[in-house]
Amino acid sequence: GPTPPGTRVPAGARRQVTAGQLRERGNALFQAGDHAAALAAYTQALSLCDGEPERAVLHRNRAACYLKLEDYAKAEADASKAIEADGRDMKALFRRSQALQKLGRLDQAVSDLQRCMSLEPKNKAFQEALRALGSSMHEKMKTMSCTDSKVAQMFQILLDPEEKDADKKQKAAQNLIVLAREEAGAEKIFQSDGVRLLMQLLDTVKADLMLAALRTLVGLCSGHRSRTTAILAELGAPRLSAVLGVEHEQVSLAACNLLHVMFDSLKEGLQKDFRGKEDAVVLDSSKDLKLLIKHLLELLALEGASAHGRDNALNLLIKVVPRKSPKETNNSMSLWVIDQGLKKILEVGSTVCGTPGSLPVTENSRMSASVLLSKLYDDLKCDAERENFHHLCEDYVRSWFEGHELAGKLRAIQTVSCLLQGPSDAGNRVLELDGIMDSVLSLCASVCEAHQLVAVEALIHAADKAKRASFITANGVSLLKEIYKHSERDSIRIRALVGLCKLGSAGGTDFSMKQFAEGSTMKLAKQCRKWLCNETIDAGTRRWAVEGLAYLTFDADVKEEFVEDKAAMQAMFHLAKSEDRSVLYAVASTLVNCTNSYDHEEPDPQMLELAKYAKQHIPEQHPKDKPDFVKRRVRKLLTAGVVSALACMVKSENPALTNSCRELISRVFLALVEEAEDRGGVVAQGGGKALIPLSLEGTEVGQTKAAQALAKITITSNPEMAFPGERIYEVVRPLVSLLHLQRTGLENFEGLMALTNLAGISERLRQKILKEKAVPMIEGYMFEEHELIRLAATECMCNMAMSKEVQELFLAEDSDRLKLMVLYSGEEDEKLRRAASGTLAMLTALHPAICKRIPQVTVHWLEILQALLLSPSTELQHRGAVVVMNMMAAEREVAEQLMASEMLEILSVLAKDKDKP
């Protein structure tokens, strides 16, 4: 048959290869010892091959490759597929027995070998294998009966204070963790008094033993509610939260993982072990959940708990308390946490580092507290719930502000900062309490650096969010200018500068409302870049230099200077990859400004005329924000390593990576892949991989921008290289999302083109596209007015028609699909004709029924086919000839109609054409 047209990837060449040739190639590669390449050849052959016997052989061959590559689970799966097709396939049975033996499933391996022996009793290899297996079965039976003793033995080695052999202990710990991952092993440990022994390991307070115990407990609790409930009852929530609060970072993190698994198991109820044995006891796990959460909240305000433990507790609360989606109606957990623990969360948010008796916190703790408060506030459903939240916050701030001297006032102001960065409505409410704002302004002039820092930061956050920005602008600007000019301390000057930037950037991207007159924006930006590159300043302070740039880079002159300063760009990327995640938003904002990937508001032309007439202010665009300048800035960022910084930012499992932050990163990625020649580089540095999670969660705008960037990459690069392995299947859903009606025409078009490329690669990809319900949408766009979208949809449909399910749609009696393809084969646009007639060539070759229907769908069918044959384009002539040939072969009546027309004469002329073999 003809190569289906309409494929932008040069897939024509690839589709000529037959499954048989690929299998031969695989065999040769296997003989030559290149097992990975042989596997790839067999896999590709499978995608082209429909016949069951041939597929079975390919699965059997793949099993041999997987055995050589030591991937025994896949070897077993492939051999099983071959055996399903033919239960007497000795090679497949033998290969499966080898795989099962390596997977430790000896009894199944024996039964496969016995089947081999019954098929060929004299085979020496089978006899030998069975003998070897018999002896290892014997060994295993011995050890199985002593798994109990073995579990006991592992604990004995771990708990024996006399045992000095570190290797032996390490091995015992590893064995225990591995055993706990398998259901049978987990149950064995649980039944052998394991929980009490694991508790003893935790109580040794030795890091390696505690890690072994925590990781084993993860296996015991994972997806198993009844065991989790029993373990929680035996260990007790206080012990678990105490382990979370230890100084040792890894131990604290392992405890955090265990608690997360326990929350999931308690929340989900039982998927795995609900097979009848527990139906009688319906466990109510909300008591257990509340107990765990209560202890996490207590840990927040506990002075003895470590800083990392506090962060881990905040992160856990962020993950497990608020509703996952607004579809869940029950927000009682959030209400309970606000009631029981809001003050405790504010204790972390109001911490003033370095003051006597302050809680140990990391650079991320206060940011995490803000995010948690924000999530809790967003989870509220009515005004009464929100009022209660506000009252609790106001009471807390007042309790510190009144009667606690200066230290109390600092705590109160720090709380205001924390709320302004989180649920800003609550922040604005406390800002209006009596005396707060005056305190902020007077403390800005404090001689003590720590106090001045707290006040200046609060002023900056207030400038950002407050309804009272005009009051702050009036009082704050002069104050901040004073501090900026006269302070001795860089740490204070940087923050004052950021305050000035925020208050001055009211003009946004508007060039004619220059923030500070006489080029001071440039001076400030230069100072920010200098601080950013100065490694003697602490990272917490240098972060503020990025905050400053996030505002100053609204100005195109500042953008231009920043991308010329490679050291400053790299210093910023370095900070983005550092431990302190609170810098993410500022880095992302700066990059959005430099790449101009924010939304451009186009002024209404009529309003512009009116504004000129009324001598009003008209926003202007800076000449350096024109496309050529933006393109050059993108190139410089790419050279400086922006992609790996963004990829690292996306990886961070951190509360600071909020949805709005993800959206900014998606905007930057879309700007980076604007030019086709830059896309390869973006993929090579990890951009393709980072875009997938961005396209699957976040704000709607963020997800769409990331999906569009994925589409651009899929259109111009070979998708199998850009998204290797399983990743290519993850790209389908984001691309299909671009077809929704609320997306722009350009997004629809790019989504269709990208899907066309994927649909041309393999049946498995086409199945994935079908599963995502894309076909009705693709069909819808075939009726689009815009000819490019119509063409893209038809080409996509052409590639999708290689799937049986799609072919059946064309066979349906009551649909116009076939009629549309016939009519499109007669349109003026040559590309559209190529795609439509290619689809017809393929469908008529596969389904004689379609040949019979063509004359019924439109009276113009004959002239359309004749026009194809008489076209100046050889490709169209070839497609036309194939369709006519298939129709002649399909049914006598159709053949007679063709004979009665001028078709025979046209074909005779074409048959003599020497130039068109």
Side-chain angles (χ1 to χ4, degrees), residues 157-169:
I157 295 170
L158 290 171
L159 288 166
D160 180 4
E162 302 299 306
E163 179 61 72
K164 295 286 181 273
D165 184 344
D167 271 357
K168 198 166 165 187
K169 284 202 159 180

Side-chain angles (χ1 to χ4, degrees), residues 266-305:
L266 292 169
K267 269 186 164 172
E268 299 306 319
L270 299 169
Q271 285 101 3
K272 277 209 290 215
D273 58 344
F274 226 39
R275 305 221 173 80
K277 60 179 176 212
E278 275 198 322
D279 290 357
V281 208
V282 175
L283 297 165
D284 174 24
S285 48
S286 64
K287 277 214 302 290
D288 288 332
L289 286 169
K290 281 185 173 169
L291 182 69
L292 280 175
I293 289 173
K294 181 166 157 288
H295 283 281
L296 287 181
L297 291 166
E298 278 169 16
L299 176 81
L300 295 181
L302 201 67
E303 279 179 31

Side-chain angles (χ1 to χ4, degrees), residues 695-886:
S695 67
L696 294 171
E697 64 172 304
T699 66
E700 192 167 346
V701 174
Q703 287 181 299
T704 307
K705 302 263 180 209
Q708 203 185 347
L710 285 170
K712 285 180 190 288
I713 291 170
T714 311
I715 290 167
T716 52
S717 43
N718 176 349
E720 292 171 284
M721 304 282 279
F723 307 107
E726 290 298 300
R727 206 174 295 154
I728 194 166
Y729 301 101
E730 293 173 46
V731 178
V732 173
R733 179 170 300 163
L735 294 180
V736 173
S737 75
L738 294 173
L739 304 188
H740 293 296
L741 287 172
Q742 67 270 34
R743 300 278 170 267
T744 64
L746 178 65
E747 288 161 355
N748 299 155
F749 175 64
E750 292 186 324
L752 287 165
M753 288 191 20
L755 286 168
T756 302
N757 278 354
L758 293 186
I761 291 173
S762 73
E763 182 55 32
R764 188 175 159 202
L765 273 166
R766 290 191 286 277
Q767 288 300 324
K768 177 80 176 140
I769 296 170
L770 274 162
K771 203 168 134 201
E772 293 294 340
K773 304 195 170 48
V775 171
M777 291 190 275
I778 299 168
E779 289 196 316
Y781 288 112
M782 287 176 67
F783 292 96
E784 180 72 35
E785 304 254 320
H786 196 297
E787 61 257 28
L788 280 174
I789 295 183
R790 188 172 61 192
L791 168 66
T794 309
E795 292 186 336
C796 191
M797 204 56 193
C798 175
N799 280 353
M800 284 302 292
M802 288 187 266
S803 283
K804 285 202 179 68
E805 288 85 342
V806 179
Q807 292 161 18
E808 278 157 16
L809 296 174
F810 282 94
L811 286 163
E813 288 294 322
D814 52 355
S815 92
D816 283 339
R817 295 184 183 95
L818 186 60
K819 177 177 182 175
L820 189 65
M821 280 297 178
V822 176
L823 292 174
Y824 277 1
S825 302
E827 282 278 325
E828 277 171 30
D829 174 0
E830 186 177 324
K831 284 183 176 166
L832 183 62
R833 286 177 79 186
R834 251 202 327 241
S837 55
T839 313
L840 285 182
M842 181 165 59
L843 290 172
T844 52
L846 294 166
H847 299 282
I850 283 182
C851 301
K852 299 176 202 169
R853 280 196 55 209
I854 287 177
Q856 296 155 19
V857 291
T858 166
V859 291
H860 304 292
W861 69 280
L862 256 174
E863 54 194 275
I864 289 172
L865 288 178
Q866 289 175 358
L868 283 173
L869 288 168
L870 295 168
S871 155
S873 149
T874 316
E875 285 195 49
L876 289 179
Q877 288 181 300
H878 181 208
R879 285 166 171 70
V882 171
V883 175
V884 174
M885 178 175 79
N886 293 334

Side-chain angles (χ1 to χ4, degrees), residues 143-154 188-189 192:
T143 50
M144 270 312 273
S145 61
C146 64
T147 298
D148 300 357
S149 62
K150 203 165 162 196
V151 169
Q153 196 187 344
M154 289 188 249
K188 187 66 81 185
I189 295 171
S192 324

